[in-house]
Amino acid sequence: MTYNPTLMLSSPHSDTQSPQPAKPRVVIVGPGAMGCLHAGLLGRMPHLQVGLLDHRPDRAKLISNQGVIIEAPEGSYTVPTQCSANPDDFGTADLVIIFTKAYDTAAAAEHAEPLVSEDTAILTLQNGLGNYEVLQKYFPDEQVLAGTTASGATLLGDGRVRQAGLGKIVLGSPAGNHELAQRVAELLQSAGLAVQVTEDVDGLLWRKVLINCAINPLTALTRRCNGELLEIPVLRELLDEVAEEVYEVGQVAGVEWGNFAPGQEVKQVCQATATNQSSMLQDVLAGRRTEIDYITGAVVAAAQQHGVAAPLCQCLTALVKGLALRHG
Ligand code: KPL
């Protein structure tokens, strides 16, 4: 796909001598599975300048030297990638995508501050509830976008990921800056990604968190792939019950679910991602802290705020928090 200069998020630099408009600069924060996958998907496009911001200089150097390696179903490829722990190495960006774990959002925002000018869009595609609210503490509300991705990836090593499946990104502006959401969607589409814009960001995030509440803790606790949850009747039943509980809490919290059928949606995702290890299972297997506080934990907090109970989410939160993790 050829570069379309109208995709610039900010007005092209007013250097009238230069016949070439600057390429849009995208910086991805967090070289985990999803960060590396998107650094590769966007970085292979010649019309974009893509950087990867890490907090670890040693790993950043390694990734800069080797590139990002994507093991895709059609074969492996390497994308040369500028990765640095120093945000000043990138200059200001047109788009910053936050892909750190949810518990690192505040640290990521602080680290990314030098990348952000008044023309920069900051997009979170992280799991869980509460991420865009943290970003809004650091950046103007109208520059913050939030969304979800249905893609899956497994981190195989530093800068190396296995692409599980490419799904759609849905994003929007919690502050109602739909024009910015549209421009960012076009930028991502120009890299061949499937992107849709929504005006109901909270509804979008609750739909995703409902799926994560059901699948992630059950896979992490049983150490099973997403698809296996469907094969064991008691777990299949529990998927339905957790989904129903989150649906009810969401309803009390004001989510407009429309014709979203909770149990059915969760089972469809299990089927579509049957061989995936959920991100929470990957965290547990690697001995890393999980995002449980931002998934079932966030639903428990919302339930408490609205004076209702969420016993299954509460139980799953406790069980996952109780797992002995090497780095947790
Ligand atoms: O988002 C996911 C995750 O693993 O965090 C799902 C949808 C469960 C896919 O694995």
Side-chain angles (χ1 to χ4, degrees), residues 89-111:
D89 287 347
F90 300 109
T92 57
D94 294 284
L95 172 63
V96 172
I97 309 179
I98 309 288
F99 258 132
T100 62
K101 293 291 182 188
Y103 47 79
D104 280 331
T105 305
E110 243 170 74
H111 195 194

Side-chain angles (χ1 to χ4, degrees), residues 92-252:
T92 57
D94 294 284
L95 172 63
V96 172
I97 309 179
I98 309 288
F99 258 132
T100 62
K101 293 291 182 188
Y103 47 79
D104 280 331
T105 305
E110 243 170 74
H111 195 194
E113 258 175 337
L115 302 170
V116 176
S117 75
E118 59 184 28
D119 295 316
T120 305
I122 305 102
L123 167 65
T124 160
L125 292 176
Q126 299 157 283
N127 268 345
L129 295 178
N131 293 305
Y132 80 74
E133 293 87 340
V134 172
L135 295 177
Q136 285 177 334
K137 292 191 181 133
Y138 291 85
F139 308 113
D141 291 3
E142 63 277 11
Q143 288 177 236
V144 174
L145 304 175
T148 58
T149 166
S151 294
T154 306
L155 193 64
L156 301 173
D158 289 342
R160 177 188 283 271
V161 283
R162 184 184 307 121
Q163 176 188 310
L166 291 185
K168 197 168 53 178
I169 288 173
V170 186
L171 62 87
S173 162
N177 188 353
H178 305 309
E179 196 201 322
L180 185 66
Q182 192 55 47
R183 274 187 283 153
V184 167
E186 283 167 21
L187 181 92
L188 297 174
Q189 282 161 350
S190 79
L193 305 185
V195 188
Q196 194 186 316
V197 173
T198 181
E199 293 194 3
D200 180 15
V201 177
D202 287 317
L204 169 74
L205 298 179
W206 269 86
R207 282 175 181 79
K208 178 81 193 284
V209 92
L210 180 148
I211 285 161
N212 288 135
C213 281
I215 299 177
N216 292 27
L218 296 191
T219 51
L221 290 164
T222 61
R223 303 192 174 211
R224 292 180 182 277
C225 293
N226 297 355
E228 288 179 273
L229 298 179
L230 299 175
E231 291 162 17
I232 299 160
V234 283
L235 294 180
R236 201 184 157 96
E237 214 171 293
L238 196 48
L239 277 176
D240 263 329
E241 287 166 4
V242 176
E244 192 55 45
E245 181 176 288
V246 178
Y247 185 89
E248 282 165 20
V249 174
Q251 219 154 19
V252 176

Side-chain angles (χ1 to χ4, degrees), residues 127 149-153 208 211-212 215-216 219 226 269-270 273 276-282 291 295:
N127 268 345
T149 166
S151 294
K208 178 81 193 284
I211 285 161
N212 288 135
I215 299 177
N216 292 27
T219 51
N226 297 355
V269 174
C270 283
T273 61
N276 278 24
Q277 285 184 337
S278 77
S279 55
M280 194 170 287
L281 175 55
Q282 290 184 48
E291 295 182 299
I295 297 178

